[in-house]
Amino acid sequence: MSIGGSSFIVAIVLICTAGWIINNWIRARHGYPLENEWGGTTPKVDVDAERKITLLTNENESLNGKIGNLEERIAVLERIVTDKAGRLSEEIEKLR
């Protein structure tokens, strides 16, 4: 195999391509973003993480709604407890 031969050039191209593929495989396996030949990156997409984020967001909205309802109920209970007994009975009679 001579240094100037076409088979030598093909071997160098194959070695470089194999190195690039192995490098990207190792990076992808360990969670690093992949780089293309122009320097741009492709982030690793984790479908399970996105699904968990969506589920947790929905659960947070539900829990925030429940907390709001409980705060309103506690405010009513505090008002009932701290009001005078006569005033409470007057309001009950007004409702009848």
Side-chain angles (χ1 to χ4, degrees):
M1 179 191 245
S2 66
I3 293 180
S6 63
S7 62
F8 185 73
I9 294 172
V10 170
I12 289 176
V13 170
L14 289 176
I15 290 171
C16 291
T17 303
W20 180 76
I21 290 172
I22 292 169
N23 180 29
N24 281 337
W25 178 72
I26 291 172
R27 291 178 63 82
R29 185 172 179 216
H30 294 288
Y32 293 104
L34 299 177
E35 296 176 358
N36 62 15
E37 54 271 1
W38 296 285
T41 59
T42 304
K44 183 178 180 181
V45 178
D46 190 2
V47 178
D48 291 334
E50 291 178 8
R51 183 173 177 266
K52 287 178 185 178
I53 289 171
T54 304
L55 291 173
L56 288 174
T57 302
N58 293 337
E59 184 180 4
N60 280 343
E61 291 173 1
S62 171
L63 292 175
N64 284 336
K66 288 180 182 179
I67 288 173
N69 291 337
L70 290 174
E71 287 175 345
E72 291 174 7
R73 292 177 71 181
I74 289 174
V76 169
L77 290 174
E78 286 176 347
R79 192 181 78 226
I80 290 171
V81 169
T82 58
D83 283 347
K84 296 179 182 177
R87 182 175 172 202
L88 179 62
S89 61
E90 289 175 7
E91 287 184 17
I92 292 173
E93 289 300 320
K94 286 179 186 177
L95 291 174
R96 289 183 185 175

